[in-house]
Amino acid sequence: IHKIKNALEELFDKNEEQTLKLIQLSENKITTEISRQLAHDIRSPLAALNMLTTHAASLPENQRILIRSAIGRINDIANSLATKASDIEKQGRLSQSADLTAELIPILIDSVVSEKRIQWRTNHEIQIHFEIPDQCHTMLATVSRADFQRIISNIIDNSVEALVDSAGTVTVSVKNTGRDLVIEVSDSGKGISPSVLPKLFQHGATFGKTTSLKSGSGLGLYHAKTNIESWGGNISIASELNHGTTVTITLNRSDTPAWLLQELDLRSVASIVVIDDEKSIHDMWDERLREVSKQLKIMHLSSATQLSDYLSESENNQASSIFLCDYELSKSGVDGLSLVSSLKISDRSVLVTSHHDNLELRLRAQKFGVKLLPKLLVTKIPILS
């Protein structure tokens, strides 16, 4: 690119506008080719990983969720690269709003934090915390999921890199300020010089990248600012030398979508039926429903056949029952949404799933009138009894 720029400057130094246009075309063509090639190269190992997950039923639920989340992130990155290459090719620029959706921000962050804890698990001197008040777990904002998670990942990497002697704490927190959702990533690291702070969001600016974590392209914070502002939010950095740094992201809250269960209303319920093929989820529900178990009958089923048999007994097919059904019933050969629909209990069912971010599933759930409850929110969802 630099050689092309130099040649063009020599040829067209009398016509600055034409020079800049040709330089941009050269950069865009190279960027497009690289993005398209990377997207293509990523998809082959990604397909292999997806195939392997179909044989991972024996893994604990939390491990399957983490693997699926990581694969989803890789897939999002590949799709983002392909989309951006197409944008540049067709429009000569990037589209900032093509893949914006209302997302559960705490769950997106939790997924990234889980990845980072695994990434740094061998260093016991690094602690990564995620703090969130109970009332904030269902907060949404309209973002690009892939770009948002990449931004959070990069900021956490920066925070870890800033820790002195690879020891210290990184804390990610989410707060509700009314109309806004505020995310803070704080570290106990070496801090940033006041003379450097104003330059951090400049294109190509990079400071203190001396470790092997990354070389420092100067694009991370610049792109973070560009994306966040395109979503109607803002990002800022506060730091004190030898006392650490805090990155603050503010986003506009989105309205709660029709597919999301905000609270579990058990006030007119006589029995609760949990359908899941993972024992740990049943244990989680037992703990969560401990306070209401004295008044309500709680049944635990692990397959589509068991649910069908349960409903075939006339005394169990009551309008006062609520069914908390897993979506991924891998051993039953049917998904939970199709199951409750075929058994005509959609109006009394909640789909408890880690696939809540699947846009097609959201639309199907709305069609059948079934609310989705992300599995990560099972221990947090308010219960009315």
Side-chain angles (χ1 to χ4, degrees), residues 55-76:
H55 303 286
S58 60
L59 290 175
E61 176 77 14
N62 62 331
Q63 291 183 23
R64 294 206 309 270
I65 291 174
L66 185 57
I67 291 170
R68 188 163 54 245
S69 174
I71 291 173
R73 282 238 294 141
I74 297 170
N75 190 56
D76 284 343

Side-chain angles (χ1 to χ4, degrees), residues 186-220:
S186 302
D187 64 66
S188 59
K190 55 193 174 187
I192 302 170
S193 168
S195 62
V196 168
L197 275 174
K199 306 174 184 177
L200 286 176
F201 293 111
Q202 294 177 6
H203 188 282
T206 179
F207 303 91
K209 301 294 184 181
T210 57
T211 74
S212 60
L213 182 61
K214 58 175 135 177
S215 59
S217 63
L219 298 177

Side-chain angles (χ1 to χ4, degrees), residues 271 297 309-321:
S271 61
K297 177 184 177 182
D309 291 344
Y310 176 83
L311 291 173
S312 66
E313 300 176 24
S314 58
E315 67 269 19
N316 290 328
N317 194 9
Q318 304 172 19
S320 58
S321 296

Side-chain angles (χ1 to χ4, degrees), residues 146-199:
D147 287 331
F148 177 79
Q149 289 192 297
R150 184 162 58 248
I151 288 167
I152 297 299
S153 176
N154 288 339
I155 291 173
I156 293 176
D157 282 345
N158 289 343
S159 296
V160 170
E161 190 175 63
L163 299 178
V164 179
D165 297 326
S166 295
T169 302
V170 176
T171 301
V172 185
S173 63
V174 177
K175 301 174 184 177
N176 176 10
T177 63
R179 290 293 302 170
D180 294 330
L181 183 159
V182 177
I183 304 146
E184 292 184 348
V185 183
S186 302
D187 64 66
S188 59
K190 55 193 174 187
I192 302 170
S193 168
S195 62
V196 168
L197 275 174
K199 306 174 184 177

